PDB file of all heavy atoms in Angstrom:
ATOM      1  N   ALA A 363       5.716  -5.793  26.898  1.00 95.00           N
ATOM      2  CA  ALA A 363       5.354  -4.468  26.381  1.00 95.00           C
ATOM      3  C   ALA A 363       6.478  -3.967  25.484  1.00 95.00           C
ATOM      4  O   ALA A 363       7.657  -4.225  25.751  1.00 95.00           O
ATOM      5  CB  ALA A 363       5.168  -3.504  27.548  1.00 95.00           C
ATOM      6  N   GLY A 364       6.130  -3.286  24.407  1.00 91.00           N
ATOM      7  CA  GLY A 364       7.133  -2.627  23.569  1.00 91.00           C
ATOM      8  C   GLY A 364       7.745  -3.519  22.499  1.00 91.00           C
ATOM      9  O   GLY A 364       8.470  -3.027  21.629  1.00 91.00           O
ATOM     10  N   ILE A 365       7.442  -4.807  22.505  1.00 92.00           N
ATOM     11  CA  ILE A 365       8.063  -5.682  21.494  1.00 92.00           C
ATOM     12  C   ILE A 365       7.427  -5.428  20.109  1.00 92.00           C
ATOM     13  O   ILE A 365       6.266  -5.025  20.010  1.00 92.00           O
ATOM     14  CB  ILE A 365       7.935  -7.174  21.899  1.00 92.00           C
ATOM     15  CG1 ILE A 365       8.838  -8.019  21.007  1.00 92.00           C
ATOM     16  CG2 ILE A 365       6.491  -7.667  21.839  1.00 92.00           C
ATOM     17  CD1 ILE A 365       9.032  -9.438  21.480  1.00 92.00           C
ATOM     18  N   THR A 366       8.237  -5.639  19.074  1.00 90.00           N
ATOM     19  CA  THR A 366       7.752  -5.442  17.704  1.00 90.00           C
ATOM     20  C   THR A 366       6.974  -6.688  17.257  1.00 90.00           C
ATOM     21  O   THR A 366       7.516  -7.797  17.321  1.00 90.00           O
ATOM     22  CB  THR A 366       8.971  -5.236  16.776  1.00 90.00           C
ATOM     23  OG1 THR A 366       9.675  -4.081  17.224  1.00 90.00           O
ATOM     24  CG2 THR A 366       8.562  -5.057  15.329  1.00 90.00           C
ATOM     25  N   ILE A 367       5.721  -6.493  16.829  1.00 94.00           N
ATOM     26  CA  ILE A 367       4.917  -7.641  16.382  1.00 94.00           C
ATOM     27  C   ILE A 367       4.427  -7.403  14.956  1.00 94.00           C
ATOM     28  O   ILE A 367       3.805  -6.379  14.667  1.00 94.00           O
ATOM     29  CB  ILE A 367       3.683  -7.876  17.265  1.00 94.00           C
ATOM     30  CG1 ILE A 367       4.091  -7.909  18.746  1.00 94.00           C
ATOM     31  CG2 ILE A 367       2.978  -9.176  16.870  1.00 94.00           C
ATOM     32  CD1 ILE A 367       2.949  -8.287  19.671  1.00 94.00           C
ATOM     33  N   TYR A 368       4.744  -8.364  14.106  1.00 94.00           N
ATOM     34  CA  TYR A 368       4.273  -8.277  12.717  1.00 94.00           C
ATOM     35  C   TYR A 368       3.175  -9.304  12.474  1.00 94.00           C
ATOM     36  O   TYR A 368       3.352 -10.489  12.810  1.00 94.00           O
ATOM     37  CB  TYR A 368       5.411  -8.590  11.748  1.00 94.00           C
ATOM     38  CG  TYR A 368       6.436  -7.492  11.642  1.00 94.00           C
ATOM     39  CD1 TYR A 368       7.705  -7.651  12.175  1.00 94.00           C
ATOM     40  CD2 TYR A 368       6.135  -6.302  10.993  1.00 94.00           C
ATOM     41  CE1 TYR A 368       8.659  -6.641  12.070  1.00 94.00           C
ATOM     42  CE2 TYR A 368       7.078  -5.289  10.890  1.00 94.00           C
ATOM     43  CZ  TYR A 368       8.331  -5.472  11.424  1.00 94.00           C
ATOM     44  OH  TYR A 368       9.257  -4.474  11.320  1.00 94.00           O
ATOM     45  N   ALA A 369       2.092  -8.860  11.846  1.00 97.00           N
ATOM     46  CA  ALA A 369       1.105  -9.824  11.338  1.00 97.00           C
ATOM     47  C   ALA A 369       1.695 -10.317  10.016  1.00 97.00           C
ATOM     48  O   ALA A 369       1.959  -9.509   9.117  1.00 97.00           O
ATOM     49  CB  ALA A 369      -0.224  -9.123  11.086  1.00 97.00           C
ATOM     50  N   ASN A 370       1.905 -11.620   9.901  1.00 97.00           N
ATOM     51  CA  ASN A 370       2.470 -12.147   8.653  1.00 97.00           C
ATOM     52  C   ASN A 370       1.334 -12.345   7.641  1.00 97.00           C
ATOM     53  O   ASN A 370       0.812 -13.444   7.454  1.00 97.00           O
ATOM     54  CB  ASN A 370       3.216 -13.464   8.937  1.00 97.00           C
ATOM     55  CG  ASN A 370       4.061 -13.880   7.755  1.00 97.00           C
ATOM     56  OD1 ASN A 370       3.929 -13.335   6.646  1.00 97.00           O
ATOM     57  ND2 ASN A 370       4.938 -14.852   7.966  1.00 97.00           N
ATOM     58  N   ILE A 371       0.997 -11.226   6.989  1.00 98.00           N
ATOM     59  CA  ILE A 371      -0.112 -11.221   6.040  1.00 98.00           C
ATOM     60  C   ILE A 371       0.178 -12.180   4.887  1.00 98.00           C
ATOM     61  O   ILE A 371      -0.685 -12.879   4.373  1.00 98.00           O
ATOM     62  CB  ILE A 371      -0.359  -9.774   5.528  1.00 98.00           C
ATOM     63  CG1 ILE A 371      -0.737  -8.882   6.708  1.00 98.00           C
ATOM     64  CG2 ILE A 371      -1.417  -9.730   4.457  1.00 98.00           C
ATOM     65  CD1 ILE A 371      -0.820  -7.401   6.395  1.00 98.00           C
ATOM     66  N   TRP A 372       1.424 -12.225   4.497  1.00 97.00           N
ATOM     67  CA  TRP A 372       1.885 -13.143   3.442  1.00 97.00           C
ATOM     68  C   TRP A 372       1.492 -14.578   3.787  1.00 97.00           C
ATOM     69  O   TRP A 372       0.915 -15.292   2.973  1.00 97.00           O
ATOM     70  CB  TRP A 372       3.405 -12.998   3.327  1.00 97.00           C
ATOM     71  CG  TRP A 372       4.093 -13.983   2.453  1.00 97.00           C
ATOM     72  CD1 TRP A 372       4.670 -15.156   2.844  1.00 97.00           C
ATOM     73  CD2 TRP A 372       4.327 -13.880   1.041  1.00 97.00           C
ATOM     74  NE1 TRP A 372       5.246 -15.789   1.782  1.00 97.00           N
ATOM     75  CE2 TRP A 372       5.055 -15.025   0.657  1.00 97.00           C
ATOM     76  CE3 TRP A 372       3.993 -12.933   0.075  1.00 97.00           C
ATOM     77  CZ2 TRP A 372       5.463 -15.254  -0.662  1.00 97.00           C
ATOM     78  CZ3 TRP A 372       4.394 -13.165  -1.238  1.00 97.00           C
ATOM     79  CH2 TRP A 372       5.111 -14.308  -1.590  1.00 97.00           C
ATOM     80  N   ALA A 373       1.801 -14.999   5.037  1.00 97.00           N
ATOM     81  CA  ALA A 373       1.511 -16.374   5.451  1.00 97.00           C
ATOM     82  C   ALA A 373      -0.010 -16.612   5.447  1.00 97.00           C
ATOM     83  O   ALA A 373      -0.477 -17.664   5.009  1.00 97.00           O
ATOM     84  CB  ALA A 373       2.081 -16.637   6.837  1.00 97.00           C
ATOM     85  N   MET A 374      -0.760 -15.596   5.917  1.00 98.00           N
ATOM     86  CA  MET A 374      -2.220 -15.775   5.980  1.00 98.00           C
ATOM     87  C   MET A 374      -2.806 -15.918   4.573  1.00 98.00           C
ATOM     88  O   MET A 374      -3.736 -16.670   4.354  1.00 98.00           O
ATOM     89  CB  MET A 374      -2.863 -14.576   6.679  1.00 98.00           C
ATOM     90  CG  MET A 374      -2.412 -14.461   8.135  1.00 98.00           C
ATOM     91  SD  MET A 374      -3.015 -12.934   8.871  1.00 98.00           S
ATOM     92  CE  MET A 374      -1.823 -12.748  10.204  1.00 98.00           C
ATOM     93  N   GLN A 375      -2.224 -15.170   3.623  1.00 98.00           N
ATOM     94  CA  GLN A 375      -2.765 -15.216   2.255  1.00 98.00           C
ATOM     95  C   GLN A 375      -2.241 -16.429   1.483  1.00 98.00           C
ATOM     96  O   GLN A 375      -2.639 -16.650   0.347  1.00 98.00           O
ATOM     97  CB  GLN A 375      -2.422 -13.920   1.525  1.00 98.00           C
ATOM     98  CG  GLN A 375      -3.094 -12.733   2.218  1.00 98.00           C
ATOM     99  CD  GLN A 375      -3.097 -11.463   1.423  1.00 98.00           C
ATOM    100  OE1 GLN A 375      -2.250 -11.262   0.556  1.00 98.00           O
ATOM    101  NE2 GLN A 375      -4.022 -10.592   1.708  1.00 98.00           N
ATOM    102  N   ARG A 376      -1.357 -17.192   2.108  1.00 97.00           N
ATOM    103  CA  ARG A 376      -0.858 -18.417   1.466  1.00 97.00           C
ATOM    104  C   ARG A 376      -1.248 -19.641   2.280  1.00 97.00           C
ATOM    105  O   ARG A 376      -0.622 -20.698   2.150  1.00 97.00           O
ATOM    106  CB  ARG A 376       0.658 -18.342   1.327  1.00 97.00           C
ATOM    107  CG  ARG A 376       0.984 -17.208   0.401  1.00 97.00           C
ATOM    108  CD  ARG A 376       2.247 -17.260  -0.313  1.00 97.00           C
ATOM    109  NE  ARG A 376       2.049 -16.429  -1.481  1.00 97.00           N
ATOM    110  CZ  ARG A 376       2.493 -16.683  -2.690  1.00 97.00           C
ATOM    111  NH1 ARG A 376       3.198 -17.765  -2.903  1.00 97.00           N
ATOM    112  NH2 ARG A 376       2.248 -15.870  -3.696  1.00 97.00           N
ATOM    113  N   ASP A 377      -2.253 -19.494   3.118  1.00 96.00           N
ATOM    114  CA  ASP A 377      -2.700 -20.628   3.918  1.00 96.00           C
ATOM    115  C   ASP A 377      -3.421 -21.618   2.983  1.00 96.00           C
ATOM    116  O   ASP A 377      -4.499 -21.299   2.460  1.00 96.00           O
ATOM    117  CB  ASP A 377      -3.644 -20.104   5.015  1.00 96.00           C
ATOM    118  CG  ASP A 377      -4.245 -21.227   5.839  1.00 96.00           C
ATOM    119  OD1 ASP A 377      -4.035 -22.406   5.503  1.00 96.00           O
ATOM    120  OD2 ASP A 377      -4.949 -20.891   6.818  1.00 96.00           O
ATOM    121  N   PRO A 378      -2.862 -22.819   2.759  1.00 95.00           N
ATOM    122  CA  PRO A 378      -3.446 -23.727   1.772  1.00 95.00           C
ATOM    123  C   PRO A 378      -4.829 -24.231   2.170  1.00 95.00           C
ATOM    124  O   PRO A 378      -5.591 -24.702   1.310  1.00 95.00           O
ATOM    125  CB  PRO A 378      -2.442 -24.890   1.701  1.00 95.00           C
ATOM    126  CG  PRO A 378      -1.581 -24.754   2.899  1.00 95.00           C
ATOM    127  CD  PRO A 378      -1.654 -23.347   3.389  1.00 95.00           C
ATOM    128  N   LEU A 379      -5.174 -24.120   3.465  1.00 95.00           N
ATOM    129  CA  LEU A 379      -6.514 -24.570   3.863  1.00 95.00           C
ATOM    130  C   LEU A 379      -7.562 -23.566   3.352  1.00 95.00           C
ATOM    131  O   LEU A 379      -8.659 -23.940   2.948  1.00 95.00           O
ATOM    132  CB  LEU A 379      -6.617 -24.701   5.383  1.00 95.00           C
ATOM    133  CG  LEU A 379      -5.722 -25.778   5.990  1.00 95.00           C
ATOM    134  CD1 LEU A 379      -5.829 -25.792   7.501  1.00 95.00           C
ATOM    135  CD2 LEU A 379      -6.059 -27.157   5.409  1.00 95.00           C
ATOM    136  N   GLU A 380      -7.206 -22.287   3.377  1.00 96.00           N
ATOM    137  CA  GLU A 380      -8.118 -21.259   2.842  1.00 96.00           C
ATOM    138  C   GLU A 380      -8.017 -21.172   1.324  1.00 96.00           C
ATOM    139  O   GLU A 380      -8.998 -20.973   0.623  1.00 96.00           O
ATOM    140  CB  GLU A 380      -7.770 -19.878   3.422  1.00 96.00           C
ATOM    141  CG  GLU A 380      -8.162 -19.668   4.863  1.00 96.00           C
ATOM    142  CD  GLU A 380      -9.684 -19.690   5.086  1.00 96.00           C
ATOM    143  OE1 GLU A 380     -10.444 -19.403   4.156  1.00 96.00           O
ATOM    144  OE2 GLU A 380     -10.083 -20.019   6.207  1.00 96.00           O
ATOM    145  N   TYR A 381      -6.762 -21.260   0.843  1.00 97.00           N
ATOM    146  CA  TYR A 381      -6.500 -21.014  -0.582  1.00 97.00           C
ATOM    147  C   TYR A 381      -5.681 -22.180  -1.144  1.00 97.00           C
ATOM    148  O   TYR A 381      -4.444 -22.095  -1.192  1.00 97.00           O
ATOM    149  CB  TYR A 381      -5.716 -19.701  -0.746  1.00 97.00           C
ATOM    150  CG  TYR A 381      -6.251 -18.543   0.072  1.00 97.00           C
ATOM    151  CD1 TYR A 381      -5.578 -18.073   1.199  1.00 97.00           C
ATOM    152  CD2 TYR A 381      -7.446 -17.925  -0.287  1.00 97.00           C
ATOM    153  CE1 TYR A 381      -6.070 -17.023   1.952  1.00 97.00           C
ATOM    154  CE2 TYR A 381      -7.955 -16.867   0.468  1.00 97.00           C
ATOM    155  CZ  TYR A 381      -7.259 -16.420   1.585  1.00 97.00           C
ATOM    156  OH  TYR A 381      -7.754 -15.375   2.330  1.00 97.00           O
ATOM    157  N   PRO A 382      -6.347 -23.261  -1.548  1.00 96.00           N
ATOM    158  CA  PRO A 382      -5.580 -24.391  -2.099  1.00 96.00           C
ATOM    159  C   PRO A 382      -4.686 -23.916  -3.260  1.00 96.00           C
ATOM    160  O   PRO A 382      -5.061 -22.999  -3.992  1.00 96.00           O
ATOM    161  CB  PRO A 382      -6.680 -25.336  -2.591  1.00 96.00           C
ATOM    162  CG  PRO A 382      -7.895 -24.955  -1.802  1.00 96.00           C
ATOM    163  CD  PRO A 382      -7.787 -23.486  -1.536  1.00 96.00           C
ATOM    164  N   GLU A 383      -3.524 -24.543  -3.400  1.00 97.00           N
ATOM    165  CA  GLU A 383      -2.512 -24.137  -4.395  1.00 97.00           C
ATOM    166  C   GLU A 383      -2.264 -22.629  -4.327  1.00 97.00           C
ATOM    167  O   GLU A 383      -2.461 -21.885  -5.298  1.00 97.00           O
ATOM    168  CB  GLU A 383      -2.942 -24.535  -5.796  1.00 97.00           C
ATOM    169  CG  GLU A 383      -3.156 -26.030  -5.953  1.00 97.00           C
ATOM    170  CD  GLU A 383      -3.421 -26.396  -7.405  1.00 97.00           C
ATOM    171  OE1 GLU A 383      -4.591 -26.335  -7.809  1.00 97.00           O
ATOM    172  OE2 GLU A 383      -2.443 -26.718  -8.112  1.00 97.00           O
ATOM    173  N   PRO A 384      -1.854 -22.141  -3.162  1.00 97.00           N
ATOM    174  CA  PRO A 384      -1.808 -20.678  -2.960  1.00 97.00           C
ATOM    175  C   PRO A 384      -0.863 -19.956  -3.893  1.00 97.00           C
ATOM    176  O   PRO A 384      -1.045 -18.755  -4.145  1.00 97.00           O
ATOM    177  CB  PRO A 384      -1.335 -20.556  -1.507  1.00 97.00           C
ATOM    178  CG  PRO A 384      -0.721 -21.853  -1.141  1.00 97.00           C
ATOM    179  CD  PRO A 384      -1.393 -22.887  -1.982  1.00 97.00           C
ATOM    180  N   GLU A 385       0.164 -20.642  -4.410  1.00 97.00           N
ATOM    181  CA  GLU A 385       1.133 -19.947  -5.273  1.00 97.00           C
ATOM    182  C   GLU A 385       0.569 -19.710  -6.678  1.00 97.00           C
ATOM    183  O   GLU A 385       1.168 -18.987  -7.478  1.00 97.00           O
ATOM    184  CB  GLU A 385       2.471 -20.693  -5.312  1.00 97.00           C
ATOM    185  CG  GLU A 385       2.523 -22.052  -5.937  1.00 97.00           C
ATOM    186  CD  GLU A 385       1.674 -23.118  -5.220  1.00 97.00           C
ATOM    187  OE1 GLU A 385       1.351 -23.006  -4.010  1.00 97.00           O
ATOM    188  OE2 GLU A 385       1.303 -24.072  -5.917  1.00 97.00           O
ATOM    189  N   LYS A 386      -0.616 -20.301  -6.980  1.00 98.00           N
ATOM    190  CA  LYS A 386      -1.211 -20.107  -8.321  1.00 98.00           C
ATOM    191  C   LYS A 386      -2.237 -18.980  -8.292  1.00 98.00           C
ATOM    192  O   LYS A 386      -2.912 -18.748  -7.287  1.00 98.00           O
ATOM    193  CB  LYS A 386      -1.896 -21.391  -8.764  1.00 98.00           C
ATOM    194  CG  LYS A 386      -0.908 -22.484  -9.064  1.00 98.00           C
ATOM    195  CD  LYS A 386      -1.579 -23.559  -9.884  1.00 98.00           C
ATOM    196  CE  LYS A 386      -0.569 -24.647 -10.195  1.00 98.00           C
ATOM    197  NZ  LYS A 386      -1.201 -25.949 -10.329  1.00 98.00           N
ATOM    198  N   PHE A 387      -2.368 -18.318  -9.439  1.00 98.00           N
ATOM    199  CA  PHE A 387      -3.346 -17.247  -9.603  1.00 98.00           C
ATOM    200  C   PHE A 387      -4.662 -17.871 -10.062  1.00 98.00           C
ATOM    201  O   PHE A 387      -4.789 -18.284 -11.231  1.00 98.00           O
ATOM    202  CB  PHE A 387      -2.810 -16.253 -10.639  1.00 98.00           C
ATOM    203  CG  PHE A 387      -3.684 -15.054 -10.863  1.00 98.00           C
ATOM    204  CD1 PHE A 387      -3.572 -13.936 -10.041  1.00 98.00           C
ATOM    205  CD2 PHE A 387      -4.608 -15.024 -11.894  1.00 98.00           C
ATOM    206  CE1 PHE A 387      -4.379 -12.815 -10.246  1.00 98.00           C
ATOM    207  CE2 PHE A 387      -5.417 -13.920 -12.108  1.00 98.00           C
ATOM    208  CZ  PHE A 387      -5.296 -12.806 -11.280  1.00 98.00           C
ATOM    209  N   ILE A 388      -5.618 -18.003  -9.138  1.00 97.00           N
ATOM    210  CA  ILE A 388      -6.875 -18.686  -9.467  1.00 97.00           C
ATOM    211  C   ILE A 388      -8.063 -17.823  -9.030  1.00 97.00           C
ATOM    212  O   ILE A 388      -8.555 -17.953  -7.906  1.00 97.00           O
ATOM    213  CB  ILE A 388      -6.952 -20.073  -8.760  1.00 97.00           C
ATOM    214  CG1 ILE A 388      -5.685 -20.884  -8.988  1.00 97.00           C
ATOM    215  CG2 ILE A 388      -8.204 -20.841  -9.192  1.00 97.00           C
ATOM    216  CD1 ILE A 388      -5.648 -22.233  -8.263  1.00 97.00           C
ATOM    217  N   PRO A 389      -8.530 -16.914  -9.884  1.00 97.00           N
ATOM    218  CA  PRO A 389      -9.664 -16.059  -9.477  1.00 97.00           C
ATOM    219  C   PRO A 389     -10.896 -16.873  -9.103  1.00 97.00           C
ATOM    220  O   PRO A 389     -11.695 -16.434  -8.265  1.00 97.00           O
ATOM    221  CB  PRO A 389      -9.938 -15.205 -10.724  1.00 97.00           C
ATOM    222  CG  PRO A 389      -8.717 -15.330 -11.569  1.00 97.00           C
ATOM    223  CD  PRO A 389      -8.047 -16.611 -11.226  1.00 97.00           C
TER     224      PRO A 389
END
Side-chain angles (χ1 to χ4, degrees):
I365 193 168
T366 300
I367 309 186
Y368 287 109
N370 192 347
I371 298 172
W372 172 266
M374 296 173 203
Q375 297 193 336
R376 296 205 156 219
D377 176 354
L379 295 177
E380 286 295 335
Y381 314 107
E383 300 187 273
E385 66 297 336
K386 291 197 179 150
F387 183 86
I388 310 177

